[in-house]
Amino acid sequence: IKQPEESIRVGDCYALLIEYYHNAKLYQEAFDLMEQMRDRGIILNPYLEKDMMEDIYVGLGKPLPANFDGKGAGRGSPVGSEDEIDDEIDDEIGEELDESIADSDEEESSRK
């Protein structure tokens, strides 16, 4: 079995949340998450369907960006290479796992 950090990508997590908000017609929340993805340099196209992204823009009454093609969803090229993004993901997950382990160690120590 792969380690958790090898099994899921940050873009997959965002996509799941965006799809949920889209289906619930909570377009502002979905749009805000799309913006967070862009700010992190995550290309939207591999994770989000073009039709869904268009629905979100239309649902908010926002015009589609002039360079909207579904790939970057209105922004330039992503920041960082795929390897850099993978390293960032690994670092974030590692930090979260370290915090989780530390918390469980503290709980265990307090029980003794």
Side-chain angles (χ1 to χ4, degrees):
I1 294 179
K2 290 184 173 186
Q3 296 297 324
E5 61 268 15
E6 296 173 348
S7 301
I8 191 163
R9 299 171 295 181
V10 172
D12 294 320
C13 295
Y14 275 109
L16 184 63
L17 290 169
I18 291 168
E19 185 176 351
Y20 169 79
Y21 286 133
H22 170 261
N23 291 339
K25 303 209 182 313
L26 298 170
Y27 298 123
Q28 186 62 54
E29 288 82 352
F31 182 81
D32 291 344
L33 289 173
M34 287 170 54
E35 289 292 300
Q36 286 180 27
M37 287 179 76
R38 288 188 197 104
D39 291 344
R40 293 183 72 167
I42 299 171
I43 300 171
L44 304 183
N45 187 41
Y47 302 103
L48 303 174
E49 294 179 14
K50 184 178 178 183
D51 292 342
M52 181 172 61
M53 290 187 279
E54 288 176 0
D55 285 350
I56 292 167
Y57 275 93
V58 171
L60 291 174
K62 293 182 180 280
L64 293 175
N67 61 344
F68 183 86
D69 60 3
K71 293 182 182 172
R75 293 253 178 113
S77 61
V79 177
S81 70
E82 196 170 313
D83 289 336
E84 289 172 341
I85 293 169
D86 287 343
D87 289 343
E88 181 181 328
I89 293 168
D90 290 343
D91 291 344
E92 288 179 17
I93 292 172
E95 289 170 6
E96 290 174 12
L97 288 173
D98 289 344
E99 289 173 10
S100 177
I101 291 169
D103 290 345
S104 62
D105 286 347
E106 288 175 17
E107 288 177 18
E108 192 172 314
S109 295
S110 66
R111 291 183 197 156
K112 292 181 180 180

